[in-house]
Amino acid sequence: MIIALTGTPGTGKTTVCEIIKEHSQYRKKFSIIDVNRLVLGEKLYTGKDEARDTYEADMDKLEERVKQEIGKKNPGVDVILEGHLSHLLPADAVIVLRAHPVALRKRLGKRKKYSFKKVKENANAEALDVILVESTQRNKNVFEINTTNMNLLAVVKSVISIIEALKQGKTPEEFRPGKINWIEYVEID
Ligand SMILES: Nc1ncnc2c1ncn2[C@@H]1O[C@H](COP(=O)(O)OP(=O)(O)OP(=O)(O)O)[C@@H](O)[C@H]1O
Ligand SMILES: [Mg+2]
């Protein structure tokens, strides 16, 4: 199974995958592809939006490279595509990590490379469900985890429980989207 693990920057995708890699019982079952590393490391972008301080990924090239990487994996292993673009790639299911915009603003505010404008833009994208909406437009199997008051190990366990339920042909109902409404946390100027 191929699972896209996505979410606004700062929602914990990389940290969750680091924990999966650290635990041998998880490491055996899952293989992780770091989508951002492919984009930046192999320059799979068409340009840089200087004003927004983001790279514009070349999605066709990225998809091709991701498929190649998946092809190298042991067929028995589940592949997690990690990164905020992963929901734009073909996958059997999408898991969106969510974090309250106020918590996200605090976390992203600590990143030296993030300008005030970039922090605000990302917190607003979270408040407006941007990645969730993009995900549901492309994939029928979309689930979300509100990580705001969860410790990271609990987030890992939730991610794995979603994947395991899907593999058994079940729908992990508690993670179906629709419970989160952070619209009042959009910052207008
Ligand atoms: N559930 C959580 N509780 C507390 N802190 C968290 C939680 N999830 C993530 N963090 C912290 O938030 C910061 C950002 O996490 P991380 O780098 O994993 O985000 P990301 O989703 O990979 O972001 P990006 O898309 O920019 O790569 C880290 O310092 C991490 O420890
Ligand atoms: Mg990351």
Side-chain angles (χ1 to χ4, degrees), residues 106-123:
K106 252 191 224 163
R107 273 186 217 164
L108 295 176
K110 290 182 193 157
R111 289 186 173 177
K112 289 198 180 81
K113 286 187 178 169
Y114 272 46
S115 64
F116 182 74
K117 188 170 159 240
K118 192 162 173 173
V119 171
K120 184 175 153 184
E121 188 173 282
N122 280 294

Side-chain angles (χ1 to χ4, degrees), residues 9-10 12-15 34 36 82-84 111:
K13 304 173 296 292
T14 303
T15 317
D34 181 338
N36 284 346
E82 185 257 314
H84 70 285
R111 289 186 173 177

Side-chain angles (χ1 to χ4, degrees), residues 61-79:
K61 280 191 187 157
L62 178 61
E63 186 173 324
E64 203 176 303
R65 277 295 289 120
V66 166
K67 282 181 179 162
Q68 273 174 7
E69 288 299 307
I70 293 171
K72 293 181 198 163
K73 309 280 180 199
N74 178 335
V77 90
D78 292 311
V79 177

Side-chain angles (χ1 to χ4, degrees), residues 35-101:
V35 173
N36 284 346
R37 190 150 79 185
L38 279 177
V39 174
L40 298 176
E42 300 186 11
K43 298 192 168 61
L44 306 179
Y45 43 78
T46 51
K48 190 176 179 188
D49 181 334
E50 293 292 346
R52 292 181 61 233
D53 186 28
T54 52
Y55 286 93
E56 286 149 2
D58 183 329
M59 291 310 296
D60 292 336
K61 280 191 187 157
L62 178 61
E63 186 173 324
E64 203 176 303
R65 277 295 289 120
V66 166
K67 282 181 179 162
Q68 273 174 7
E69 288 299 307
I70 293 171
K72 293 181 198 163
K73 309 280 180 199
N74 178 335
V77 90
D78 292 311
V79 177
I80 299 177
L81 307 176
E82 185 257 314
H84 70 285
L85 299 172
S86 64
H87 60 287
L88 305 175
L89 296 164
D92 298 303
V94 177
I95 301 176
V96 186
L97 297 189
R98 307 296 307 267
H100 195 287

Side-chain angles (χ1 to χ4, degrees), residues 8 13 26 46 56 60 82 96 133 138 155 159 169 174 189:
T8 307
K13 304 173 296 292
Y26 301 146
T46 51
E56 286 149 2
D60 292 336
E82 185 257 314
V96 186
V133 171
R138 287 173 174 79
V155 179
V159 167
E174 67 171 299
D189 57 20

Side-chain angles (χ1 to χ4, degrees), residues 100-101 105 127 181-187:
H100 195 287
R105 226 171 267 144
N181 181 355
W182 289 328
I183 192 78
E184 66 188 286
Y185 296 93
V186 175
E187 270 189 327

